[in-house]
Amino acid sequence: MPEHLDHLKEQIFTAKNLYRELHQPLSEVNQETNSLVFNDLVQLAQGNPKIDEKSIMRQVNQSLTLRRQYMLLLQSIAFAISPVQAAASSDTQISSRKTPQFELLFKRDKQFSGQVYVILKIPHSAQNHHNKGVRVNCCSEKLISSLHFPPIVDGKTQLLMEESDQKFINMFDTEFAIYLS
């Protein structure tokens, strides 16, 4: 099938979904989003510890509209971005993400093979990264995951993660863009 027809089908599908979301009764909207407002997305993107991150992230991942709003928000507030790095036929994972603004590496624990140290190096970090830490958002077309790294000391910070953790897998998947905020 020609590529322009696939693109047209995608546009029609997206338009129908947006139309349904705009025209569903208000009671269904409130049930579905649990009164999620744009400020909740901003607080999530900035890493506010006082919000219910899991609940908001679940709602964002369940709604195409919220996911798009969140990704647009990340693009505007992120101080560093590592774009999607996959080729059309690529199904491989990468071992690190390097940009001029940051470097994301992993180092396997020698004693526990299922654990990995995720090391985030930021050569020119801002003062709030030394006080509050850094939020790493991994975004694909279908899923967004978010991690909070501790405050930066001497240009780097780290987390100890399980190798099977989906958030860890997303960081090194070539089809996920990474936004640091």
Side-chain angles (χ1 to χ4, degrees), residues 69-87:
Q69 286 178 350
Y70 188 69
M71 288 178 70
L72 288 172
L73 176 64
L74 286 176
Q75 289 172 4
S76 66
I77 69 167
F79 73 89
I81 298 173
S82 175
V84 174
Q85 298 178 350

Side-chain angles (χ1 to χ4, degrees), residues 59-78:
Q59 291 176 21
V60 167
N61 280 317
Q62 290 174 349
S63 169
L64 177 63
T65 305
L66 290 175
R67 201 165 48 246
R68 286 186 176 169
Q69 286 178 350
Y70 188 69
M71 288 178 70
L72 288 172
L73 176 64
L74 286 176
Q75 289 172 4
S76 66
I77 69 167

Side-chain angles (χ1 to χ4, degrees), residues 134-177:
V134 179
R135 175 143 314 264
V136 176
N137 293 278
C138 305
C139 305
S140 75
E141 291 181 14
K142 298 176 183 171
L143 179 70
I144 297 174
S145 62
S146 182
L147 283 167
H148 185 263
F149 278 77
I152 293 177
V153 178
D154 294 330
K156 65 181 176 179
T157 183
Q158 69 180 13
L159 284 176
L160 179 62
M161 300 183 74
E162 293 292 324
E163 189 175 35
S164 60
D165 187 345
Q166 188 61 47
K167 290 180 180 182
F168 170 75
I169 295 168
N170 295 348
M171 277 190 279
F172 298 103
D173 190 328
T174 56
E175 295 184 13
F176 279 79

Side-chain angles (χ1 to χ4, degrees), residues 80-169:
I81 298 173
S82 175
V84 174
Q85 298 178 350
S89 63
S90 174
D91 194 26
T92 61
Q93 292 189 346
I94 55 177
S95 61
S96 67
R97 301 290 286 260
K98 295 180 183 181
T99 72
Q101 297 91 10
F102 73 94
E103 188 174 359
L104 195 57
L105 307 165
F106 75 93
K107 181 179 177 184
R108 299 202 183 284
D109 191 320
K110 293 180 173 126
Q111 293 181 339
F112 303 102
S113 61
Q115 293 183 334
V116 179
Y117 287 98
V118 180
I119 303 165
L120 177 62
K121 295 180 181 180
I122 302 176
H124 306 291
S125 55
Q127 184 61 37
N128 67 332
H129 299 140
H130 296 280
N131 299 334
K132 298 179 183 178
V134 179
R135 175 143 314 264
V136 176
N137 293 278
C138 305
C139 305
S140 75
E141 291 181 14
K142 298 176 183 171
L143 179 70
I144 297 174
S145 62
S146 182
L147 283 167
H148 185 263
F149 278 77
I152 293 177
V153 178
D154 294 330
K156 65 181 176 179
T157 183
Q158 69 180 13
L159 284 176
L160 179 62
M161 300 183 74
E162 293 292 324
E163 189 175 35
S164 60
D165 187 345
Q166 188 61 47
K167 290 180 180 182
F168 170 75
I169 295 168

